[in-house]
Amino acid sequence: MSREMRNPRVLLALILFAGLIPRVAGLGVSPPALNSDELLKAFDGASVYLTGRDHHGAAWPMFFEQSGEWSPPLYIYFTGLFSAPFGVNPYTNRLPSAILGTLSIGLTFLLMRRALDERAGLIAALLVAISPWNLFYSRIGWEAISLIPLQLAGLWLFMRWAQEGRFRDVMLSAAAFALTTYAYPTARLSTPLMGVGLLICFWEVLGKKARQAALGAVFYLLIQAPFVYTLLEHREAMQARWAFLSVFQSPEWPTLIVTHYLQHLSPMFLFVTGDANPAHGLAGGVALMALAPLFALGVFSILRYRTAFGWLLLYWLLTFAIPSSLTFDRFDPRSMPNALRSVGGMPVIELISTLGIVWLWNRLGDTTVRKGVFACIAVAVIVNTGWIAYDAAVRFPVYAAPAFQYGLRDVVEYAEAHKGEYDRIVISDKVRLHPVALAIFSGRDPGPFSGKDFPKYIIPFYHYVPVYGDFRTNVYQRFAGLELNQIARWYNLAPGKNLLIALPNEIDGASPVLRVAYPDGSTAYEVFESKNG
């Protein structure tokens, strides 16, 4: 290798480029479609920049009301920079995540270079570049990935302050940690937990620089003030999602918390199976299986050398699952362990594995054995990465299609093309068509809207959100009944000429005018026509 190629800056640039390519390639193909959550972020982001208001009509909101919950603002405002000038499409929707994921690679390098040295920084950056966990959330238009660069920046700046004592660094670190609250909801707990970890592991440094540390803490709280005000002002609405997911709803909550926690820390979740929900990850663990022995060596090195940074990584490993462990979804048995709600653990596995690699490299010395061992490690990592790449590019777009509402755009475009022929267009509640998805798929420009913009549509799924009442959710009950799951009754009883969009087998004994298939050939949606006197 030439001297230029050994330059750390050149190597880092190559790693960043190698990490960027799989994060931006084929964003319109894998994941196979834009689901409602992705569409909401891009639509509201474009709406505020184009009109000054979100789709509810709120002016430049601090938090965005979306589907009955309040979403944090950072990712929405960031993605709006892309979707406002270029429209809502897979690239404008997902490119912001790819950028944030790539940024996390660079920040991993800075953190590990500060904690150890440049070689460790490059190794860690490379491992994050090929991390299945980071890769997946860098390719989907959700706000979860925005937490990671802020968390890493906060740690890097804290480490630099601890070593050099520059007041600016502790203030910037406090700002980065404070902004995590505006990035992803689990940070409301994970960031304070990280603060406790810094207090425990770096108490000597904090004691020597108590004045600067105190000012940093005050600055952190000042940035939290708008969030606290919004929470107090809209407490019930802001807590609606938590009220639905809280494990404390169950009388068995102590057992559930322990079970969920252990599931997240199990080797199966970390290295083998990951999250069973295809909307939350690729096949395999959240980390490469090939890293498992190196991760174990990393844990050993932490216990062996007992450095403050090592203890912090171990603390991080033991606490990242706590926010997710306090939740459950009684309607989805696959919800635990949950790679999305535990995303704050990214990239602690790669960081600890880096410690294992460094320890093994130094332990073996400059010998033929070291060359052989690391050649085997390299082959295992390459093979493992190749499998992940194959899954992401070939298998995932097929088996994950239902989770990403594949085909929904096709049925809406069909309905829009033929709506003049029908008295009304009725959407089964099981289809889960979000009004914002309807707006995007029908070609409506981003901006405030209501059901009055779509007078022929009856959309029942979001009946629990008052603002979507304009979509005649109550009208659906006229024929479907209170259970909201009998679109077949609409087919048989509703007067006039209707177009009905349903899932397979919801309407028996009738031939659809359109059948939309998933990539594997199975039926995704069926469109029916009814005529009743």
Side-chain angles (χ1 to χ4, degrees):
M1 183 181 293
S2 66
R3 180 176 299 176
E4 291 78 10
M5 290 298 291
R6 292 179 181 177
N7 186 311
R9 292 185 179 180
V10 174
L11 291 173
L12 177 61
L14 291 174
I15 291 171
L16 290 171
F17 180 74
L20 177 65
I21 294 304
R23 284 163 174 77
V24 300
L27 288 177
V29 178
S30 179
L34 291 169
N35 68 11
S36 296
D37 287 339
E38 294 181 279
L39 294 171
L40 273 167
K41 314 304 178 193
F43 189 89
D44 268 344
S47 180
V48 291
Y49 286 120
L50 294 174
T51 71
R53 298 181 180 274
D54 67 3
H55 79 278
H56 291 301
W60 300 99
M62 176 65 68
F63 286 80
F64 289 78
E65 186 179 359
Q66 297 183 331
S67 303
E69 60 180 280
W70 289 50
S71 296
L74 288 187
Y75 186 84
I76 295 173
Y77 281 112
F78 184 44
T79 194
L81 297 175
F82 299 81
S83 57
F86 302 112
V88 179
N89 60 64
Y91 274 90
T92 59
N93 195 290
R94 293 167 176 167
L95 187 58
S97 292
I99 293 172
L100 293 169
T102 305
L103 180 61
S104 68
I105 299 172
L107 287 166
T108 298
F109 167 78
L110 293 175
L111 173 62
M112 290 302 282
R113 183 181 66 173
R114 174 62 56 177
L116 275 78
D117 53 35
E118 281 187 335
R119 181 180 63 180
L122 291 170
I123 294 170
L126 178 60
L127 294 183
V128 173
I130 58 178
S131 163
W133 207 358
N134 188 283
L135 176 64
F136 180 82
Y137 287 101
S138 298
R139 292 182 57 86
I140 185 170
W142 292 347
E143 69 269 35
I145 191 64
S146 62
L147 168 63
I148 310 310
L150 288 170
Q151 189 169 249
L152 288 168
L155 289 171
W156 164 56
L157 290 163
F158 178 89
M159 291 293 297
R160 194 165 73 172
W161 169 74
Q163 294 175 3
E164 299 180 6
R166 289 186 293 187
F167 178 63
R168 179 186 64 184
D169 286 337
V170 73
M171 299 300 281
L172 290 174
S173 175
F177 280 127
L179 288 174
T180 61
T181 302
Y182 302 90
Y184 191 59
T186 58
R188 300 172 192 177
L189 178 56
S190 66
T191 297
L193 284 173
M194 182 67 74
V196 172
L198 292 173
L199 182 62
I200 294 172
C201 299
F202 290 89
W203 63 272
E204 290 185 356
V205 173
L206 292 168
K208 293 177 181 178
K209 305 174 183 178
R211 183 173 178 274
Q212 289 189 8
L215 291 173
V218 170
F219 191 46
Y220 171 88
L221 293 174
L222 286 174
I223 297 175
Q224 293 292 299
F227 162 70
V228 174
Y229 173 81
T230 306
L231 178 61
L232 295 175
E233 185 77 8
H234 306 280
R235 181 175 179 82
E236 184 175 349
M238 288 279 285
Q239 296 288 82
R241 182 65 173 169
W242 164 245
F244 178 76
L245 294 174
S246 171
V247 74
F248 298 107
Q249 300 175 80
S250 171
E252 301 176 353
W253 63 266
T255 302
L256 287 175
I257 291 175
V258 174
T259 301
H260 294 170
Y261 177 79
L262 295 177
Q263 286 176 329
H264 284 87
L265 291 182
S266 71
M268 291 296 291
F269 172 70
L270 297 179
F271 301 106
V272 183
T273 58
D275 192 320
N277 187 342
H280 290 173
L282 301 168
V286 295
L288 295 176
M289 187 184 298
L291 293 186
L294 300 170
F295 173 79
L297 289 176
V299 173
F300 169 79
S301 72
I302 291 173
L303 300 176
R304 171 69 176 81
Y305 295 108
R306 304 177 185 179
T307 65
F309 182 71
W311 287 129
L312 179 65
L313 292 185
L314 188 59
Y315 172 88
W316 188 0
L317 174 68
L318 295 175
T319 57
F320 84 88
I322 291 176
S324 182
S325 300
L326 301 181
T327 68
F328 82 130
D329 188 341
R330 54 187 176 275
F331 300 113
D332 184 5
R334 304 176 304 171
S335 66
M336 286 291 149
N338 194 295
L340 175 60
R341 296 174 202 153
S342 61
V343 73
M346 190 190 304
V348 68
I349 300 172
E350 286 74 23
L351 299 182
I352 293 176
S353 297
T354 299
L355 297 183
I357 291 172
V358 171
W359 180 88
L360 185 61
W361 180 271
N362 294 331
R363 181 71 175 179
L364 293 178
D366 190 11
T367 63
T368 303
V369 173
R370 183 170 75 178
K371 294 178 181 178
V373 168
F374 276 88
C376 292
I377 292 173
V379 169
V381 170
I382 290 171
V383 170
N384 200 167
T385 303
W387 164 251
I388 295 298
Y390 172 77
D391 181 66
V394 179
R395 297 177 66 249
F396 178 75
V398 177
Y399 68 73
F404 284 88
Q405 299 175 291
Y406 180 92
L408 196 53
R409 177 186 287 272
D410 295 334
V411 296
V412 170
E413 290 177 348
Y414 179 88
E416 283 293 296
H418 297 273
K419 65 182 178 182
E421 306 169 19
Y422 299 96
D423 297 315
R424 59 186 71 85
I425 300 169
V426 186
I427 315 296
S428 167
D429 63 290
K430 294 182 180 179
V431 168
R432 302 180 66 170
L433 174 63
H434 196 286
V436 165
L438 171 61
I440 293 171
F441 296 157
S442 63
R444 188 192 185 286
D445 291 332
F449 74 94
S450 72
K452 296 175 182 178
D453 294 340
F454 305 96
K456 288 194 174 183
Y457 283 84
I458 296 176
I459 305 178
F461 182 74
Y462 291 91
H463 64 92
Y464 57 89
V465 184
V467 73
Y468 298 136
D470 285 344
F471 285 88
R472 292 155 295 283
T473 58
N474 292 331
V475 175
Y476 188 75
Q477 299 177 16
R478 177 180 175 188
F479 295 107
L482 296 177
E483 295 182 4
L484 292 175
N485 63 355
Q486 300 181 45
I487 195 170
R489 291 171 59 88
W490 265 92
Y491 179 83
N492 294 317
L493 301 176
K497 188 177 181 181
N498 305 294
L499 193 69
L500 301 97
I501 299 174
L503 294 187
N505 303 316
E506 282 200 273
I507 300 177
D508 296 325
S511 298
V513 296
L514 175 70
R515 179 180 285 113
V516 176
Y518 290 125
D520 64 1
S522 62
T523 300
Y525 303 99
E526 293 180 326
V527 181
F528 295 88
E529 178 184 290
S530 71
K531 299 177 182 178
N532 298 305

